[in-house]
Amino acid sequence: MADSSPTSLPNIAGVVLAAGASRRMGFPKMLAEFDGEPLVRRAARTALAAGLSPVVVVVGAYAQEVSAAIEGLPVQLAENPAWAAGQSTSVRAGITALPPTADGALVLLGDQPLVSSALIAGLVEFAAPDAIVAPQVAGRRGNPVLFGRSHFAELMSLTGDFGARRLLSEHPVITVEWDSADAFLDVDTPEDLRRIGALPEPEASAPEALDVASLRRDFPILARAMPSGGPLIYLDSAATSQKPVAVLEAMRRFNERGNANIHRGIHTLAEEATALYEGAREKVAAFIGAPSAREVVFTRNATESINLVARTWGCANVRRGDLIVLTEMEHHANIVPWQMLAHEKGARLAFVPVRDDGLLDLGAYRALLAEKPRLVAFTHLSNVLGTVTPAAEMIAMAHDAGATTLLDGSQSVPHMPVDVAALGADFLAFSGHKMLGPTGIGVLFGREELLEAMPPFLGGGDMISAVTFDSFEVAELPHKFEAGTPAIAEAIGLGAAVDYLSELGMERVAEHGRRLAEYACETLAAIEGLRILGPSAKHRGPLVAFTLDGVHPHDVAQLLDSEGIAVRAGHHCAMPLHERLGLGASTRASFHVYNQFSEVDALVDALARVRRLFLLESRSA
Amino acid sequence: MNDLYSDTLITRYRSPRFRGVLDQHDVSIEGENPLCGDRIRVYLRFGPDGRVAEASFSGHGCAVAEASADVLMESLLGRSPEAALTLGQGDVLEALGLDSLPASRSKCACLPIQAVHKGILEAHGSPRCGEAGLL
């Protein structure tokens, strides 16, 4: 490493950005080790070695752990509580922390372990109060970038996730040619770490199983005692999931320390609240692979999301005689809004049949598409049958027929990787409370061009850009569809839930649910008189609904409850499907990340006792 | 397993005494809890004295609904329409040997009771019956 001679240079500070959540890494990447030390420590040490002074390390996500990793180094810490709102907030926090004597600041990413002090010294050579200096390899500019003091004000006015990159396109940049492209490598995924030798190669095969025993400690409710005297065995996550401490804390922190309305106040709390709310939107967008956060509208729940589409897109696009295609396995939330629209418009509804094996009849679907429907709306994962529908294929077929598509992701988004870009969905609706988040917050994803063309939904504040006594102009996306003060704390809670699920890894979450459902199907099938609804485990998500001969589902649920086992009994908001199955009701056990195989065993044992209690002779009506 | 499922309740559910269809009846009415998918049909025949001479039920519900229907039919025998309208959830629970029901199951016991009340009021259509405590 080249020694620099700080005394001969202008006073350049270092700002090390180490506040991000490392969504794609699955663990705090700043703590990943390279050459025996955590990435953040290496970045701070390199900055110090290059003579930068002071060196400010901006921390946000995992602030405690990251701070601990740089303990002992003569650096200054800057906390960025609004880190989730994007890298710009960290740049601002770092620049704010600089002393007035700094002539410039070199902004380093904490996750670029191959940036050397020689590279930094090479940039500092060109420092000037109004200069921007960046390294370039083979014609491509990269990080770190040095900003002269006269750019500080502009750096502090940045918003969003693009950090300081915008300045580079708006001002002349001095580029310093560098010979090693490695310098630019930033670590975003475990693969990146492996490439630079910081992580061992993974073993092939299925995703690693969740450490359920330890993650259960994140869910305080699982520790509550039940009237039965035993533990809570919660098998009703398809109705609503339990919430980890990270979610509860994020909401508590906001309500206790950050509460303010968003998008309007010119004060610290309002700005922080806006940053957190919009940060949650960014997280949700990344979680579902939405190309832009403008395509993510916050609603109350999936039901409201679907109604929003029916009342806006539907009112503008569905005409008399048009066909709307649904399936027989839809939740009422994806039936009733379309019935209302169809009644109003004189449109027709048709339902793709469910075959006896629990899968959709795609031949019948193809036949319906030949009638050129205006819309196809269907579930990604049936809340009764557990069926995972071939969504990408069905959406592509619908598009070929000229139809717009809405995917009900209420049960899929919480349990499996869902990527709207890969699926090609026009609309995706889901709720926060089924994905470890709070109630009162839901999401509608819509493709930007569709959302732009749609009329607004509810009218009021926040959804307008200007109002006169005569008329109004609608606000930009996504605010156009968010009239009135939204559920701010709940959105922040949902953002925390997304972080939590992302860190577990959705592949692993899906695999866990699949294994539990498979195990439940196997063990439940051994109970005499028990009939499992829905398809084989191969096509099934994390839930199993069933009937038990001679015992009403409500009696089953009541008796299971007396043993601390919470299941759902009834029609699960899918009365037409139950009619199709010839059933009044069923009992459903549904799982999430915190459920254990031993809980399935407890369910099976209890059901055997229910069966004995009710051991019936055959009766006639 | 559970206090709700008393021996009486299980017995009346497993071996009902009043299950069946009355071909000769003055009242035939179905009660439904669409949210549970439960349907219970009640049949009543009045004697020359105007009192309930025969009562039965058919259909399907949970154990609470069916056992309630069975004990309710028994209680109805010999009652005048006015006296039948005074029967409520308390009487059914007493006959089943239960002190109370979980709030979520109250509607199960009420299903046959409401059907009986509605059937009698429709059959007699008499305002003098209107004040009787329904539940």
Side-chain angles (χ1 to χ4, degrees):
Chain A
M1 289 195 180
D3 277 330
S4 52
S5 37
T7 46
S8 64
L9 294 166
N11 192 3
I12 304 297
V15 173
V16 178
L17 304 181
S22 35
R23 258 196 304 269
R24 290 195 282 155
M25 186 66 82
F27 64 93
K29 70 176 170 187
M30 292 298 157
L31 306 181
E33 296 209 339
F34 179 73
D35 223 355
E37 68 181 339
L39 291 182
V40 61
R41 189 175 180 89
R42 183 179 177 86
R45 216 175 38 71
T46 305
L48 288 166
L52 302 182
S53 175
V55 170
V56 175
V57 179
V58 184
V59 296
Y62 316 106
Q64 273 190 330
E65 293 89 324
V66 174
S67 307
I70 48 173
E71 207 173 5
L73 293 180
V75 297
Q76 200 177 317
L77 272 183
E79 285 223 28
N80 173 22
W83 60 270
Q87 204 177 68
S88 59
T89 60
S90 292
V91 173
R92 198 183 314 154
I95 298 293
T96 307
L98 296 180
T101 51
D103 297 316
L106 184 91
V107 179
L108 298 105
L109 306 182
D111 59 0
Q112 285 190 305
L114 300 178
V115 167
S116 63
S117 56
L119 169 57
I120 295 174
L123 298 172
V124 170
E125 270 186 46
F126 295 90
D130 59 350
I132 298 179
V133 190
Q136 179 166 297
V137 175
R140 197 181 127 235
R141 281 203 302 248
N143 285 307
V145 179
L146 192 158
F147 296 92
R149 159 153 222 104
S150 62
H151 296 289
F152 283 9
E154 207 177 339
L155 284 173
M156 288 171 69
S157 70
L158 293 170
T159 57
D161 206 12
F162 294 101
R165 256 179 283 163
R166 206 190 72 205
L167 272 67
L168 273 68
S169 58
E170 292 175 359
H171 298 282
V173 176
I174 302 169
T175 48
V176 175
E177 285 297 330
W178 205 249
D179 53 5
S180 163
D182 280 349
F184 291 172
L185 176 80
D186 58 352
V187 176
D188 279 325
T189 63
E191 284 66 40
D192 294 337
L193 273 178
R194 263 171 225 122
R195 204 174 315 134
I196 59 171
L199 265 192
E201 287 299 320
E203 287 176 30
S205 88
E208 186 196 338
L210 291 179
D211 182 0
V212 177
S214 88
L215 75 82
R216 282 174 67 84
R217 289 194 285 272
D218 297 336
F219 294 82
I221 202 167
L222 299 178
R224 83 158 265 186
M226 298 304 288
S228 62
L232 166 65
I233 297 178
Y234 188 76
L235 304 180
D236 197 17
S237 293
T240 195
S241 60
Q242 300 301 347
K243 294 107 184 68
V245 170
V247 169
L248 303 172
E249 273 298 303
M251 294 174 69
R252 192 179 64 83
R253 218 167 32 238
F254 175 73
N255 280 318
E256 284 186 5
R257 299 180 45 84
N259 179 52
N261 212 328
I262 55 167
H263 297 149
R264 49 199 85 177
I266 310 291
H267 57 74
T268 304
L269 291 188
E271 285 186 14
E272 284 178 9
T274 305
L276 287 167
Y277 180 78
E278 293 302 328
R281 195 194 305 279
E282 300 266 355
K283 290 179 191 186
V284 169
F287 188 66
I288 58 169
S292 159
R294 286 161 53 81
E295 298 174 305
V296 171
V297 177
F298 281 132
T299 60
R300 275 188 308 145
N301 45 41
T303 299
E304 187 174 275
S305 299
I306 296 171
N307 277 277
L308 190 162
V309 176
R311 304 315 303 170
T312 60
W313 181 90
C315 279
N317 292 283
V318 173
R319 283 178 276 280
R320 170 165 296 279
D322 279 352
L323 179 64
I324 295 171
V325 171
L326 311 173
T327 83
E328 285 182 347
M329 60 169 77
E330 298 311 310
H331 187 282
H332 296 163
N334 200 26
I335 298 177
V336 180
W338 306 118
Q339 289 175 332
M340 291 164 67
L341 178 70
H343 288 159
E344 195 178 304
K345 296 283 187 173
R348 297 173 296 139
L349 298 183
F351 294 84
V352 180
V354 176
R355 301 192 314 204
D356 290 339
D357 62 3
L359 303 181
L360 288 173
D361 183 342
L362 293 183
Y365 176 52
R366 199 179 303 277
L368 284 170
L369 290 178
E371 296 183 42
K372 300 286 173 200
R374 180 76 55 187
L375 174 79
V376 174
F378 65 99
T379 183
H380 198 187
L381 202 170
S382 161
N383 70 316
V384 177
L385 300 174
T387 313
V388 177
T389 58
E393 187 186 345
M394 288 176 68
I395 288 169
M397 289 165 73
H399 285 166
D400 285 346
T404 300
T405 55
L406 180 143
L407 190 61
D408 177 359
S410 301
Q411 299 293 346
S412 63
V413 173
H415 292 283
M416 55 193 259
V418 173
D419 185 311
V420 286
L423 289 168
D426 297 313
F427 296 107
L428 172 74
F430 56 99
S431 294
H433 70 96
K434 294 188 202 291
M435 52 190 289
L436 314 184
T439 54
I441 187 81
V443 173
L444 172 68
F445 159 83
R447 280 200 303 111
E448 189 164 336
E449 62 194 85
L450 290 170
L451 294 179
E452 287 285 12
M454 278 151 58
F457 181 38
L458 303 175
D462 245 10
M463 57 72 74
I464 46 82
S465 61
V467 180
T468 66
F469 284 114
D470 298 320
S471 68
F472 66 93
E473 284 171 36
V474 292
E476 290 281 298
L477 292 179
H479 311 293
K480 172 179 167 182
F481 296 105
E482 294 181 5
T485 297
I488 305 169
E490 286 73 14
I492 292 165
L494 175 58
V498 162
D499 284 343
Y500 187 88
L501 284 170
S502 301
E503 277 172 38
L504 293 180
M506 289 310 287
E507 292 285 357
R508 296 202 300 162
V509 170
E511 180 64 10
H512 181 64
R514 201 194 58 73
R515 285 183 198 167
L516 279 170
E518 186 176 33
Y519 183 62
C521 285
E522 275 169 28
T523 49
L524 288 169
I527 298 174
E528 203 191 328
L530 191 142
R531 173 190 164 202
I532 292 171
L533 310 183
S536 64
K538 189 180 148 204
H539 299 284
R540 186 181 280 275
L543 62 92
V544 182
F546 56 88
T547 59
L548 190 56
D549 272 356
V551 192
H552 191 285
H554 284 183
D555 294 318
V556 173
Q558 190 88 55
L559 286 160
L560 292 177
D561 176 64
S562 68
E563 301 203 6
I565 303 174
V567 296
R568 175 89 189 261
H571 52 59
H572 321 302
C573 295
M575 290 173 87
L577 174 62
H578 278 81
E579 194 181 319
R580 151 74 181 85
L581 299 171
L583 299 170
S586 60
T587 308
R588 179 185 70 194
S590 56
F591 312 111
H592 218 311
V593 293
Y594 35 72
N595 286 118
Q596 317 173 88
F597 289 81
S598 60
E599 294 177 307
V600 175
D601 293 336
L603 170 71
V604 171
D605 291 349
L607 283 169
R609 283 191 287 279
V610 171
R611 172 110 184 112
R612 275 201 296 279
L613 183 69
F614 274 80
L615 203 58
L616 304 168
E617 294 160 30
S618 62
R619 297 179 305 130
S620 57
Chain B
M1 275 180 97
N2 186 299
D3 295 341
L4 172 61
Y5 295 87
S6 64
D7 288 347
T8 312
L9 186 140
I10 293 282
T11 306
R12 298 299 288 248
Y13 175 60
R14 287 170 54 171
S15 313
R17 299 178 211 164
F18 293 87
R19 176 174 279 279
V21 176
L22 286 187
D23 290 330
Q24 301 278 314
H25 57 253
D26 299 300
V27 169
S28 166
I29 188 163
E30 187 170 76
E32 186 185 8
N33 272 339
L35 294 181
C36 318
D38 292 359
R39 287 165 194 266
I40 301 251
R41 180 167 287 276
V42 172
Y43 302 90
L44 302 178
R45 187 178 65 76
F46 297 105
D49 58 356
R51 293 170 185 270
V52 177
E54 276 191 286
S56 74
F57 75 96
S58 65
H60 283 291
C62 64
V64 176
E66 291 193 21
S68 296
D70 202 52
V71 297
L72 179 67
M73 296 305 111
E74 186 168 19
S75 309
L76 283 167
L77 294 178
R79 285 189 181 248
S80 66
E82 293 85 351
L85 288 173
T86 64
L87 285 173
Q89 186 179 309
D91 303 286
V92 165
L93 292 190
E94 195 182 336
L96 289 171
L98 296 174
D99 294 331
S100 63
L101 279 177
S104 60
R105 304 306 294 280
S106 178
K107 64 179 188 303
C108 312
C110 289
L111 176 61
I113 299 170
Q114 282 168 334
V116 164
H117 287 182
K118 189 160 175 246
I120 290 178
L121 288 171
E122 279 178 9
H124 288 260
S126 159
R128 73 197 156 102
C129 301
E131 287 175 28
L134 281 183
L135 300 176

